[in-house]
Amino acid sequence: AVPPCRRYVAGGRCESTARLEGKVVIITGANTGIGKETARDLARRGKVIIACRDIAKAEAAASEIRAETGNQQVIVKKLDLADTKSIREFAEKFLGEEKELHILINNAGVMLCPYSKTADGFEMHLGVNHLGHFLLTFLLLERLKQCAPARIVNVSSLAHHGGRIRFHDLQGEKSYNRGLAYCHSKLANVLFTRELARRLQGKLLYFATGTKVTVNALHPGSVHSELVRHSFVMTWLWKIFSFFLKTPWEGAQTSVYCAVAEELDSVTGQYFSDCQPAYVSPRGRDDETARKLWNVSCELLGIQWD
């Protein structure tokens, strides 16, 4: 039997048996950890595209998932979120090859990186965790609208509580702390979710309700994964306290829940943990900051997204 404390750590699980026949899902960073477990679950339901930087790792994960689920529709495509050129190439290729897109799971992320920059000169946490997914969502949104009802799922973190959007030093050039940089980027995920939901809902008023695209964020829990690989101390602590950490499968449950649960059909702009609504920090509910971050993000990426 599972000890009660272990059951508590495991948290909520997605009970939905929803099928995704004829539907297409994109999951970023699905070659390891909770992304891989999310892909494994959704591959039992429909077609999954694993979008990753490391093609060899992604292919290994995909063939394992194909063998286990019997679903040959698990496809790998190259996507490096630290390079806007790669993001644009991925989107262009995807839109050329696939006519459908119903679920976009912005799962990939970096954590506790020493100070470094993306190909476009963005601080790594902000660049990958926020701006990369912001641009990807922008490029794929029309297809999601065409295939609606559709869902966007942003994997954020409880760490957003420690974040703030420092507009005066967005790239961390004046002061940098890798733990805080991660928190800031996870707060950006929550604010992006909030503002995108507001904009998509506003648009809904003009259409038949059939054009529903929802967007929700989530905290997967503290998961035993490779995300802490940049920190020797965290890797060591993770090993010691592994009993109190979720397995990647347990950590994937809320991502799967947000992607498929029938009761979320018209729920948007929310934040979940353990497959239920969770508390958002006051900074994560600040509409003015959300709007400003949206505009600054568009400026940095050189896009117009109204």
Side-chain angles (χ1 to χ4, degrees), residues 170-236:
L170 215 49
Q171 310 299 344
E173 286 160 330
K174 296 184 186 135
S175 72
Y176 181 74
N177 173 300
R178 54 193 187 164
L180 288 176
Y182 176 72
C183 295
H184 303 332
S185 72
K186 294 287 112 181
L187 174 60
N189 293 154
V190 171
L191 291 167
F192 169 46
T193 301
R194 191 175 179 88
E195 180 63 9
L196 179 56
R198 188 186 69 79
R199 287 164 180 258
L200 291 171
Q201 262 181 313
K203 297 274 195 301
L204 283 183
L205 302 176
Y206 305 108
F207 297 115
T209 45
T211 60
K212 288 190 296 200
V213 179
T214 62
V215 53
N216 291 298
L218 67 102
H219 167 55
S222 299
V223 179
H224 202 291
S225 75
E226 291 177 21
L227 199 55
V228 295
R229 63 182 173 272
H230 291 293
S231 165
F232 170 74
V233 175
M234 287 290 278
T235 305
W236 185 69

Side-chain angles (χ1 to χ4, degrees), residues 108-172:
V110 293
M111 181 180 180
L112 303 173
C113 306
Y115 189 79
S116 54
K117 291 189 166 182
T118 67
D120 302 87
F122 306 134
E123 185 276 314
M124 193 60 73
H125 294 90
L126 182 83
V128 171
N129 298 355
H130 169 60
L131 292 170
H133 282 129
F134 187 94
L135 178 61
L136 181 67
T137 306
F138 166 74
L139 295 171
L140 298 176
L141 188 60
E142 276 313 306
R143 183 59 49 89
L144 284 159
K145 284 181 182 170
Q146 287 159 14
C147 299
R151 299 185 188 191
I152 300 163
V153 178
N154 294 326
V155 178
S156 178
S157 168
L158 186 67
H160 84 270
H161 286 274
R164 51 172 57 204
I165 306 301
R166 301 161 68 247
F167 289 109
H168 64 286
D169 188 22
L170 215 49
Q171 310 299 344

